[in-house]
mmCIF file of all heavy atoms in Angstrom:
data_model
loop_
_atom_site.group_PDB
_atom_site.id
_atom_site.type_symbol
_atom_site.label_atom_id
_atom_site.label_comp_id
_atom_site.label_asym_id
_atom_site.label_seq_id
_atom_site.Cartn_x
_atom_site.Cartn_y
_atom_site.Cartn_z
ATOM 1 N N MET A 65 92.981 95.997 99.985
ATOM 2 C CA MET A 65 94.145 95.919 99.106
ATOM 3 C C MET A 65 95.078 97.097 99.372
ATOM 4 O O MET A 65 94.642 98.220 99.545
ATOM 5 C CB MET A 65 93.704 95.983 97.639
ATOM 6 C CG MET A 65 92.933 94.761 97.199
ATOM 7 S SD MET A 65 93.946 93.313 97.042
ATOM 8 C CE MET A 65 94.563 93.509 95.375
ATOM 9 N N ILE A 66 96.338 96.777 99.375
ATOM 10 C CA ILE A 66 97.329 97.835 99.499
ATOM 11 C C ILE A 66 98.140 97.854 98.212
ATOM 12 O O ILE A 66 98.409 96.815 97.627
ATOM 13 C CB ILE A 66 98.238 97.609 100.725
ATOM 14 C CG1 ILE A 66 99.161 98.799 100.938
ATOM 15 C CG2 ILE A 66 99.042 96.318 100.622
ATOM 16 C CD1 ILE A 66 99.864 98.766 102.288
ATOM 17 N N THR A 67 98.466 99.057 97.767
ATOM 18 C CA THR A 67 99.282 99.178 96.571
ATOM 19 C C THR A 67 100.655 99.696 96.955
ATOM 20 O O THR A 67 100.780 100.763 97.556
ATOM 21 C CB THR A 67 98.635 100.159 95.570
ATOM 22 O OG1 THR A 67 97.320 99.695 95.270
ATOM 23 C CG2 THR A 67 99.445 100.237 94.298
ATOM 24 N N CYS A 68 101.652 98.944 96.625
ATOM 25 C CA CYS A 68 103.017 99.364 96.928
ATOM 26 C C CYS A 68 103.367 100.589 96.092
ATOM 27 O O CYS A 68 103.243 100.557 94.873
ATOM 28 C CB CYS A 68 103.980 98.220 96.624
ATOM 29 S SG CYS A 68 105.702 98.676 96.810
ATOM 30 N N PRO A 69 103.794 101.676 96.719
ATOM 31 C CA PRO A 69 104.123 102.893 95.986
ATOM 32 C C PRO A 69 105.439 102.776 95.234
ATOM 33 O O PRO A 69 105.755 103.595 94.390
ATOM 34 C CB PRO A 69 104.223 103.952 97.082
ATOM 35 C CG PRO A 69 104.627 103.184 98.295
ATOM 36 C CD PRO A 69 103.996 101.819 98.159
ATOM 37 N N LEU A 70 106.189 101.766 95.534
ATOM 38 C CA LEU A 70 107.514 101.621 94.941
ATOM 39 C C LEU A 70 107.497 100.791 93.662
ATOM 40 O O LEU A 70 108.154 101.112 92.695
ATOM 41 C CB LEU A 70 108.465 100.998 95.961
ATOM 42 C CG LEU A 70 108.576 101.803 97.257
ATOM 43 C CD1 LEU A 70 109.319 101.009 98.316
ATOM 44 C CD2 LEU A 70 109.258 103.134 97.026
ATOM 45 N N CYS A 71 106.736 99.708 93.691
ATOM 46 C CA CYS A 71 106.721 98.828 92.524
ATOM 47 C C CYS A 71 105.333 98.662 91.922
ATOM 48 O O CYS A 71 105.182 98.050 90.888
ATOM 49 C CB CYS A 71 107.308 97.467 92.898
ATOM 50 S SG CYS A 71 106.273 96.513 94.023
ATOM 51 N N GLY A 72 104.315 99.200 92.594
ATOM 52 C CA GLY A 72 102.964 99.124 92.065
ATOM 53 C C GLY A 72 102.270 97.796 92.334
ATOM 54 O O GLY A 72 101.156 97.589 91.885
ATOM 55 N N HIS A 73 102.916 96.942 93.071
ATOM 56 C CA HIS A 73 102.345 95.637 93.389
ATOM 57 C C HIS A 73 101.126 95.793 94.295
ATOM 58 O O HIS A 73 101.168 96.525 95.274
ATOM 59 C CB HIS A 73 103.415 94.795 94.078
ATOM 60 C CG HIS A 73 102.941 93.440 94.504
ATOM 61 N ND1 HIS A 73 102.633 92.442 93.618
ATOM 62 C CD2 HIS A 73 102.740 92.924 95.747
ATOM 63 C CE1 HIS A 73 102.267 91.364 94.294
ATOM 64 N NE2 HIS A 73 102.312 91.627 95.591
ATOM 65 N N LYS A 74 100.068 95.093 93.944
ATOM 66 C CA LYS A 74 98.859 95.136 94.762
ATOM 67 C C LYS A 74 98.768 93.860 95.574
ATOM 68 O O LYS A 74 98.984 92.772 95.058
ATOM 69 C CB LYS A 74 97.622 95.269 93.880
ATOM 70 C CG LYS A 74 97.482 96.632 93.250
ATOM 71 C CD LYS A 74 96.092 96.759 92.641
ATOM 72 C CE LYS A 74 95.803 98.177 92.214
ATOM 73 N NZ LYS A 74 96.616 98.605 91.075
ATOM 74 N N GLU A 75 98.418 94.013 96.806
ATOM 75 C CA GLU A 75 98.396 92.864 97.687
ATOM 76 C C GLU A 75 97.280 93.013 98.711
ATOM 77 O O GLU A 75 96.978 94.114 99.148
ATOM 78 C CB GLU A 75 99.744 92.806 98.402
ATOM 79 C CG GLU A 75 99.975 91.531 99.141
ATOM 80 C CD GLU A 75 101.413 91.467 99.609
ATOM 81 O OE1 GLU A 75 102.323 91.783 98.833
ATOM 82 O OE2 GLU A 75 101.607 91.135 100.765
ATOM 83 N N GLU A 76 96.702 91.891 99.064
ATOM 84 C CA GLU A 76 95.677 91.938 100.099
ATOM 85 C C GLU A 76 96.333 92.047 101.457
ATOM 86 O O GLU A 76 97.338 91.412 101.729
ATOM 87 C CB GLU A 76 94.823 90.675 100.056
ATOM 88 C CG GLU A 76 93.814 90.680 98.938
ATOM 89 C CD GLU A 76 92.859 89.509 99.063
ATOM 90 O OE1 GLU A 76 92.305 89.303 100.145
ATOM 91 O OE2 GLU A 76 92.686 88.801 98.067
ATOM 92 N N VAL A 77 95.764 92.858 102.289
ATOM 93 C CA VAL A 77 96.273 92.977 103.648
ATOM 94 C C VAL A 77 95.152 92.668 104.624
ATOM 95 O O VAL A 77 93.983 92.896 104.339
ATOM 96 C CB VAL A 77 96.833 94.385 103.941
ATOM 97 C CG1 VAL A 77 98.127 94.603 103.202
ATOM 98 C CG2 VAL A 77 95.820 95.452 103.630
ATOM 99 N N ILE A 78 95.542 92.162 105.747
ATOM 100 C CA ILE A 78 94.567 91.913 106.804
ATOM 101 C C ILE A 78 94.562 93.119 107.724
ATOM 102 O O ILE A 78 95.591 93.483 108.303
ATOM 103 C CB ILE A 78 94.944 90.646 107.584
ATOM 104 C CG1 ILE A 78 94.903 89.438 106.645
ATOM 105 C CG2 ILE A 78 94.004 90.452 108.764
ATOM 106 C CD1 ILE A 78 95.594 88.213 107.206
ATOM 107 N N LEU A 79 93.403 93.757 107.793
ATOM 108 C CA LEU A 79 93.315 94.919 108.665
ATOM 109 C C LEU A 79 93.226 94.466 110.114
ATOM 110 O O LEU A 79 92.382 93.658 110.479
ATOM 111 C CB LEU A 79 92.080 95.741 108.300
ATOM 112 C CG LEU A 79 92.119 96.357 106.916
ATOM 113 C CD1 LEU A 79 90.791 97.044 106.623
ATOM 114 C CD2 LEU A 79 93.235 97.351 106.783
ATOM 115 N N THR A 80 94.104 95.013 110.894
ATOM 116 C CA THR A 80 94.114 94.657 112.310
ATOM 117 C C THR A 80 93.324 95.701 113.097
ATOM 118 O O THR A 80 92.808 96.659 112.536
ATOM 119 C CB THR A 80 95.556 94.584 112.830
ATOM 120 O OG1 THR A 80 96.193 95.834 112.579
ATOM 121 C CG2 THR A 80 96.315 93.491 112.131
ATOM 122 N N ASP A 81 93.257 95.530 114.370
ATOM 123 C CA ASP A 81 92.502 96.446 115.214
ATOM 124 C C ASP A 81 93.186 97.790 115.396
ATOM 125 O O ASP A 81 92.571 98.754 115.805
ATOM 126 C CB ASP A 81 92.277 95.834 116.596
ATOM 127 C CG ASP A 81 91.285 94.671 116.516
ATOM 128 O OD1 ASP A 81 90.499 94.641 115.559
ATOM 129 O OD2 ASP A 81 91.318 93.817 117.406
ATOM 130 N N SER A 82 94.463 97.806 115.130
ATOM 131 C CA SER A 82 95.188 99.051 115.341
ATOM 132 C C SER A 82 95.920 99.452 114.061
ATOM 133 O O SER A 82 96.008 98.675 113.111
ATOM 134 C CB SER A 82 96.192 98.893 116.479
ATOM 135 O OG SER A 82 97.075 97.847 116.182
ATOM 136 N N CYS A 83 96.424 100.657 114.064
ATOM 137 C CA CYS A 83 97.159 101.149 112.920
ATOM 138 C C CYS A 83 98.476 100.397 112.773
ATOM 139 O O CYS A 83 99.083 99.974 113.745
ATOM 140 C CB CYS A 83 97.453 102.643 113.090
ATOM 141 S SG CYS A 83 95.994 103.658 112.898
ATOM 142 N N GLN A 84 98.879 100.246 111.543
ATOM 143 C CA GLN A 84 100.145 99.590 111.270
ATOM 144 C C GLN A 84 101.038 100.596 110.556
ATOM 145 O O GLN A 84 100.684 101.130 109.513
ATOM 146 C CB GLN A 84 99.896 98.374 110.383
ATOM 147 C CG GLN A 84 101.125 97.537 110.166
ATOM 148 C CD GLN A 84 100.818 96.300 109.332
ATOM 149 O OE1 GLN A 84 99.690 95.868 109.239
ATOM 150 N NE2 GLN A 84 101.843 95.749 108.721
ATOM 151 N N PHE A 85 102.171 100.869 111.132
ATOM 152 C CA PHE A 85 103.003 101.940 110.604
ATOM 153 C C PHE A 85 103.877 101.486 109.441
ATOM 154 O O PHE A 85 104.118 102.233 108.514
ATOM 155 C CB PHE A 85 103.868 102.529 111.720
ATOM 156 C CG PHE A 85 104.436 103.868 111.357
ATOM 157 C CD1 PHE A 85 103.627 104.994 111.328
ATOM 158 C CD2 PHE A 85 105.772 104.003 111.037
ATOM 159 C CE1 PHE A 85 104.142 106.229 110.978
ATOM 160 C CE2 PHE A 85 106.298 105.243 110.689
ATOM 161 C CZ PHE A 85 105.477 106.354 110.657
ATOM 162 N N PHE A 86 104.321 100.251 109.502
ATOM 163 C CA PHE A 86 105.158 99.752 108.428
ATOM 164 C C PHE A 86 104.515 98.558 107.757
ATOM 165 O O PHE A 86 103.757 97.826 108.370
ATOM 166 C CB PHE A 86 106.523 99.300 108.959
ATOM 167 C CG PHE A 86 107.346 100.413 109.497
ATOM 168 C CD1 PHE A 86 107.559 100.534 110.856
ATOM 169 C CD2 PHE A 86 107.912 101.339 108.645
ATOM 170 C CE1 PHE A 86 108.329 101.562 111.365
ATOM 171 C CE2 PHE A 86 108.682 102.372 109.142
ATOM 172 C CZ PHE A 86 108.890 102.479 110.503
ATOM 173 N N TYR A 87 104.836 98.418 106.496
ATOM 174 C CA TYR A 87 104.378 97.230 105.787
ATOM 175 C C TYR A 87 105.470 96.823 104.817
ATOM 176 O O TYR A 87 106.015 97.654 104.108
ATOM 177 C CB TYR A 87 103.080 97.535 105.035
ATOM 178 C CG TYR A 87 102.593 96.338 104.268
ATOM 179 C CD1 TYR A 87 101.947 95.303 104.932
ATOM 180 C CD2 TYR A 87 102.806 96.229 102.903
ATOM 181 C CE1 TYR A 87 101.538 94.184 104.240
ATOM 182 C CE2 TYR A 87 102.387 95.119 102.204
ATOM 183 C CZ TYR A 87 101.756 94.104 102.874
ATOM 184 O OH TYR A 87 101.348 92.992 102.186
ATOM 185 N N GLN A 88 105.770 95.545 104.785
ATOM 186 C CA GLN A 88 106.800 95.090 103.863
ATOM 187 C C GLN A 88 106.166 94.480 102.630
ATOM 188 O O GLN A 88 105.389 93.531 102.724
ATOM 189 C CB GLN A 88 107.714 94.064 104.542
ATOM 190 C CG GLN A 88 108.912 93.723 103.658
ATOM 191 C CD GLN A 88 109.918 92.826 104.349
ATOM 192 O OE1 GLN A 88 109.594 92.120 105.294
ATOM 193 N NE2 GLN A 88 111.148 92.861 103.878
ATOM 194 N N CYS A 89 106.502 95.054 101.497
ATOM 195 C CA CYS A 89 105.975 94.567 100.227
ATOM 196 C C CYS A 89 106.564 93.197 99.927
ATOM 197 O O CYS A 89 107.763 93.002 100.023
ATOM 198 C CB CYS A 89 106.325 95.557 99.117
ATOM 199 S SG CYS A 89 105.862 94.991 97.473
ATOM 200 N N ARG A 90 105.717 92.272 99.547
ATOM 201 C CA ARG A 90 106.214 90.927 99.249
ATOM 202 C C ARG A 90 106.854 90.849 97.875
ATOM 203 O O ARG A 90 107.533 89.882 97.561
ATOM 204 C CB ARG A 90 105.054 89.932 99.304
ATOM 205 C CG ARG A 90 104.653 89.607 100.710
ATOM 206 C CD ARG A 90 103.730 88.402 100.694
ATOM 207 N NE ARG A 90 102.772 88.492 101.776
ATOM 208 C CZ ARG A 90 101.672 87.753 101.833
ATOM 209 N NH1 ARG A 90 101.383 86.938 100.847
ATOM 210 N NH2 ARG A 90 100.866 87.861 102.842
ATOM 211 N N ASN A 91 106.587 91.822 97.052
ATOM 212 C CA ASN A 91 107.151 91.798 95.709
ATOM 213 C C ASN A 91 108.561 92.375 95.667
ATOM 214 O O ASN A 91 109.473 91.764 95.135
ATOM 215 C CB ASN A 91 106.231 92.563 94.762
ATOM 216 C CG ASN A 91 106.675 92.427 93.315
ATOM 217 O OD1 ASN A 91 106.869 91.332 92.819
ATOM 218 N ND2 ASN A 91 106.851 93.548 92.653
ATOM 219 N N CYS A 92 108.745 93.547 96.246
ATOM 220 C CA CYS A 92 110.058 94.203 96.194
ATOM 221 C C CYS A 92 110.759 94.194 97.556
ATOM 222 O O CYS A 92 111.901 94.624 97.665
ATOM 223 C CB CYS A 92 109.920 95.629 95.654
ATOM 224 S SG CYS A 92 108.959 96.739 96.693
ATOM 225 N N ASN A 93 110.047 93.696 98.569
ATOM 226 C CA ASN A 93 110.625 93.581 99.913
ATOM 227 C C ASN A 93 111.059 94.899 100.532
ATOM 228 O O ASN A 93 111.876 94.925 101.443
ATOM 229 C CB ASN A 93 111.797 92.587 99.922
ATOM 230 C CG ASN A 93 111.316 91.171 99.716
ATOM 231 O OD1 ASN A 93 110.307 90.776 100.283
ATOM 232 N ND2 ASN A 93 112.014 90.414 98.904
ATOM 233 N N LYS A 94 110.515 96.008 100.025
ATOM 234 C CA LYS A 94 110.809 97.291 100.619
ATOM 235 C C LYS A 94 109.801 97.583 101.723
ATOM 236 O O LYS A 94 108.662 97.146 101.665
ATOM 237 C CB LYS A 94 110.721 98.400 99.556
ATOM 238 C CG LYS A 94 111.731 98.241 98.439
ATOM 239 C CD LYS A 94 113.076 98.814 98.840
ATOM 240 C CE LYS A 94 114.148 98.526 97.806
ATOM 241 N NZ LYS A 94 113.797 99.016 96.473
ATOM 242 N N MET A 95 110.250 98.323 102.702
ATOM 243 C CA MET A 95 109.358 98.748 103.759
ATOM 244 C C MET A 95 108.555 99.955 103.287
ATOM 245 O O MET A 95 109.116 100.965 102.873
ATOM 246 C CB MET A 95 110.160 99.143 104.999
ATOM 247 C CG MET A 95 110.511 97.960 105.867
ATOM 248 S SD MET A 95 109.046 97.203 106.612
ATOM 249 C CE MET A 95 109.857 95.989 107.632
ATOM 250 N N ILE A 96 107.253 99.823 103.372
ATOM 251 C CA ILE A 96 106.379 100.926 103.003
ATOM 252 C C ILE A 96 106.064 101.711 104.268
ATOM 253 O O ILE A 96 105.731 101.146 105.296
ATOM 254 C CB ILE A 96 105.086 100.384 102.379
ATOM 255 C CG1 ILE A 96 105.414 99.533 101.162
ATOM 256 C CG2 ILE A 96 104.149 101.524 102.003
ATOM 257 C CD1 ILE A 96 104.202 98.763 100.638
ATOM 258 N N ARG A 97 106.187 103.024 104.161
ATOM 259 C CA ARG A 97 105.847 103.879 105.297
ATOM 260 C C ARG A 97 104.717 104.820 104.904
ATOM 261 O O ARG A 97 104.507 105.083 103.729
ATOM 262 C CB ARG A 97 107.050 104.732 105.681
ATOM 263 C CG ARG A 97 108.188 103.901 106.197
ATOM 264 C CD ARG A 97 109.268 104.827 106.652
ATOM 265 N NE ARG A 97 110.561 104.195 106.416
ATOM 266 C CZ ARG A 97 111.682 104.662 106.932
ATOM 267 N NH1 ARG A 97 111.684 105.756 107.658
ATOM 268 N NH2 ARG A 97 112.802 104.060 106.701
ATOM 269 N N PRO A 98 104.004 105.353 105.889
ATOM 270 C CA PRO A 98 102.908 106.273 105.577
ATOM 271 C C PRO A 98 103.422 107.531 104.892
ATOM 272 O O PRO A 98 104.551 107.952 105.096
ATOM 273 C CB PRO A 98 102.326 106.614 106.956
ATOM 274 C CG PRO A 98 102.793 105.538 107.847
ATOM 275 C CD PRO A 98 104.117 105.098 107.316
ATOM 276 N N LYS A 99 102.561 108.106 104.084
ATOM 277 C CA LYS A 99 102.889 109.367 103.431
ATOM 278 C C LYS A 99 102.671 110.517 104.392
ATOM 279 O O LYS A 99 101.661 110.559 105.095
ATOM 280 C CB LYS A 99 101.954 109.596 102.237
ATOM 281 C CG LYS A 99 102.182 108.681 101.078
ATOM 282 C CD LYS A 99 101.280 109.119 99.931
ATOM 283 C CE LYS A 99 100.383 107.994 99.486
ATOM 284 N NZ LYS A 99 99.416 108.408 98.484
ATOM 285 N N GLY A 100 103.569 111.465 104.377
ATOM 286 C CA GLY A 100 103.377 112.722 105.087
ATOM 287 C C GLY A 100 102.894 112.566 106.513
ATOM 288 O O GLY A 100 103.521 111.934 107.337
ATOM 289 N N GLN A 101 101.728 113.151 106.756
ATOM 290 C CA GLN A 101 101.188 113.202 108.105
ATOM 291 C C GLN A 101 100.337 111.986 108.450
ATOM 292 O O GLN A 101 99.808 111.890 109.555
ATOM 293 C CB GLN A 101 100.300 114.449 108.252
ATOM 294 C CG GLN A 101 100.978 115.742 107.901
ATOM 295 C CD GLN A 101 101.793 116.268 109.058
ATOM 296 O OE1 GLN A 101 101.323 116.326 110.191
ATOM 297 N NE2 GLN A 101 103.017 116.654 108.792
ATOM 298 N N ASP A 102 100.190 111.072 107.530
ATOM 299 C CA ASP A 102 99.323 109.932 107.794
ATOM 300 C C ASP A 102 99.846 109.099 108.952
ATOM 301 O O ASP A 102 101.043 108.939 109.135
ATOM 302 C CB ASP A 102 99.205 109.065 106.544
ATOM 303 C CG ASP A 102 98.351 109.709 105.473
ATOM 304 O OD1 ASP A 102 97.606 110.642 105.800
ATOM 305 O OD2 ASP A 102 98.436 109.287 104.313
ATOM 306 N N CYS A 103 98.899 108.558 109.713
ATOM 307 C CA CYS A 103 99.270 107.845 110.934
ATOM 308 C C CYS A 103 99.664 106.409 110.667
ATOM 309 O O CYS A 103 100.329 105.782 111.472
ATOM 310 C CB CYS A 103 98.128 107.908 111.942
ATOM 311 S SG CYS A 103 96.633 107.075 111.383
ATOM 312 N N CYS A 104 99.229 105.873 109.557
ATOM 313 C CA CYS A 104 99.556 104.479 109.288
ATOM 314 C C CYS A 104 99.452 104.202 107.791
ATOM 315 O O CYS A 104 98.922 105.002 107.043
ATOM 316 C CB CYS A 104 98.626 103.557 110.071
ATOM 317 S SG CYS A 104 96.908 103.625 109.545
ATOM 318 N N ILE A 105 99.935 103.068 107.408
ATOM 319 C CA ILE A 105 99.932 102.721 105.986
ATOM 320 C C ILE A 105 98.536 102.551 105.426
ATOM 321 O O ILE A 105 98.323 102.747 104.250
ATOM 322 C CB ILE A 105 100.746 101.428 105.734
ATOM 323 C CG1 ILE A 105 100.204 100.292 106.579
ATOM 324 C CG2 ILE A 105 102.225 101.665 105.970
ATOM 325 C CD1 ILE A 105 100.542 98.929 106.062
ATOM 326 N N PHE A 106 97.594 102.224 106.300
ATOM 327 C CA PHE A 106 96.231 102.077 105.819
ATOM 328 C C PHE A 106 95.689 103.412 105.321
ATOM 329 O O PHE A 106 94.986 103.474 104.324
ATOM 330 C CB PHE A 106 95.327 101.530 106.916
ATOM 331 C CG PHE A 106 95.763 100.174 107.405
ATOM 332 C CD1 PHE A 106 95.900 99.924 108.760
ATOM 333 C CD2 PHE A 106 96.043 99.162 106.512
ATOM 334 C CE1 PHE A 106 96.303 98.671 109.220
ATOM 335 C CE2 PHE A 106 96.449 97.903 106.945
ATOM 336 C CZ PHE A 106 96.574 97.668 108.311
ATOM 337 N N CYS A 107 96.029 104.475 106.039
ATOM 338 C CA CYS A 107 95.580 105.807 105.632
ATOM 339 C C CYS A 107 96.161 106.186 104.272
ATOM 340 O O CYS A 107 95.514 106.833 103.470
ATOM 341 C CB CYS A 107 96.013 106.846 106.664
ATOM 342 S SG CYS A 107 95.309 106.586 108.286
ATOM 343 N N SER A 108 97.400 105.788 104.048
ATOM 344 C CA SER A 108 98.091 106.233 102.848
ATOM 345 C C SER A 108 97.800 105.383 101.624
ATOM 346 O O SER A 108 97.662 105.906 100.530
ATOM 347 C CB SER A 108 99.599 106.221 103.083
ATOM 348 O OG SER A 108 99.968 107.204 104.005
ATOM 349 N N TYR A 109 97.704 104.088 101.814
ATOM 350 C CA TYR A 109 97.737 103.212 100.653
ATOM 351 C C TYR A 109 96.562 102.271 100.486
ATOM 352 O O TYR A 109 96.422 101.645 99.456
ATOM 353 C CB TYR A 109 99.015 102.380 100.685
ATOM 354 C CG TYR A 109 100.245 103.243 100.737
ATOM 355 C CD1 TYR A 109 101.067 103.229 101.846
ATOM 356 C CD2 TYR A 109 100.566 104.090 99.674
ATOM 357 C CE1 TYR A 109 102.190 104.023 101.926
ATOM 358 C CE2 TYR A 109 101.681 104.894 99.737
ATOM 359 C CZ TYR A 109 102.487 104.858 100.865
ATOM 360 O OH TYR A 109 103.589 105.651 100.923
ATOM 361 N N VAL A 110 95.754 102.145 101.510
ATOM 362 C CA VAL A 110 94.642 101.216 101.408
ATOM 363 C C VAL A 110 93.368 101.987 101.113
ATOM 364 O O VAL A 110 93.177 103.099 101.606
ATOM 365 C CB VAL A 110 94.512 100.374 102.696
ATOM 366 C CG1 VAL A 110 93.354 99.395 102.606
ATOM 367 C CG2 VAL A 110 95.801 99.589 102.927
ATOM 368 N N THR A 111 92.501 101.400 100.329
ATOM 369 C CA THR A 111 91.318 102.117 99.876
ATOM 370 C C THR A 111 90.230 102.200 100.923
ATOM 371 O O THR A 111 89.304 102.970 100.788
ATOM 372 C CB THR A 111 90.758 101.446 98.605
ATOM 373 O OG1 THR A 111 90.635 100.059 98.845
ATOM 374 C CG2 THR A 111 91.682 101.679 97.431
ATOM 375 N N VAL A 112 90.318 101.387 101.957
ATOM 376 C CA VAL A 112 89.342 101.489 103.027
ATOM 377 C C VAL A 112 89.914 102.330 104.154
ATOM 378 O O VAL A 112 91.115 102.396 104.324
ATOM 379 C CB VAL A 112 88.931 100.103 103.567
ATOM 380 C CG1 VAL A 112 88.233 99.310 102.485
ATOM 381 C CG2 VAL A 112 90.125 99.352 104.098
ATOM 382 N N PRO A 113 89.051 102.975 104.920
ATOM 383 C CA PRO A 113 89.548 103.827 106.003
ATOM 384 C C PRO A 113 90.306 103.032 107.055
ATOM 385 O O PRO A 113 90.061 101.849 107.264
ATOM 386 C CB PRO A 113 88.275 104.411 106.614
ATOM 387 C CG PRO A 113 87.219 104.214 105.607
ATOM 388 C CD PRO A 113 87.613 103.008 104.810
ATOM 389 N N SER A 114 91.234 103.708 107.681
ATOM 390 C CA SER A 114 91.991 103.095 108.758
ATOM 391 C C SER A 114 91.073 102.728 109.913
ATOM 392 O O SER A 114 90.151 103.464 110.240
ATOM 393 C CB SER A 114 93.039 104.095 109.226
ATOM 394 O OG SER A 114 93.476 103.776 110.516
ATOM 395 N N PRO A 115 91.316 101.589 110.529
ATOM 396 C CA PRO A 115 90.524 101.258 111.721
ATOM 397 C C PRO A 115 90.800 102.255 112.833
ATOM 398 O O PRO A 115 91.916 102.721 112.979
ATOM 399 C CB PRO A 115 91.012 99.864 112.097
ATOM 400 C CG PRO A 115 92.318 99.690 111.421
ATOM 401 C CD PRO A 115 92.299 100.572 110.203
ATOM 402 N N SER A 116 89.778 102.574 113.576
ATOM 403 C CA SER A 116 89.971 103.543 114.648
ATOM 404 C C SER A 116 90.767 102.919 115.777
ATOM 405 O O SER A 116 90.788 101.708 115.943
ATOM 406 C CB SER A 116 88.628 104.048 115.167
ATOM 407 O OG SER A 116 87.823 102.955 115.505
ATOM 408 N N ILE A 117 91.411 103.757 116.502
ATOM 409 C CA ILE A 117 92.284 103.275 117.567
ATOM 410 C C ILE A 117 91.462 102.836 118.777
ATOM 411 O O ILE A 117 90.628 103.607 119.221
ATOM 412 C CB ILE A 117 93.277 104.364 117.990
ATOM 413 C CG1 ILE A 117 94.148 104.747 116.786
ATOM 414 C CG2 ILE A 117 94.155 103.868 119.159
ATOM 415 C CD1 ILE A 117 94.997 105.969 117.015
HETATM 416 ZN ZN1 LIG B 398 106.769 96.789 96.246
#
């Protein structure tokens, strides 16, 4: 699950084999980007660890 930092919408995401830098929220249609030094949105917003590269 990913939680949109802008509107708080929770949504299921499919984890891919690689990091995903952007994610578009289906609720507010804003592009979510990683926080700070995080390499991908999974690191910032998803509760499971990012898949390794
Ligand atoms: Zn949103």
Side-chain angles (χ1 to χ4, degrees):
M65 292 288 274
I66 187 168
T67 303
C68 174
L70 302 169
C71 69
H73 178 69
K74 288 192 170 69
E75 191 170 315
E76 283 188 50
V77 289
I78 297 165
L79 295 175
T80 56
D81 290 337
S82 58
C83 288
Q84 186 177 339
F85 197 73
F86 294 109
Y87 179 78
Q88 188 174 23
C89 175
R90 284 193 212 164
N91 187 52
C92 64
N93 291 318
K94 297 277 173 56
M95 276 294 185
I96 302 170
R97 294 185 213 193
K99 290 186 237 174
Q101 305 277 312
D102 287 343
C103 64
C104 67
I105 56 158
F106 300 130
C107 298
S108 292
Y109 303 115
V110 180
T111 50
V112 296
S114 160
S116 53
I117 299 170

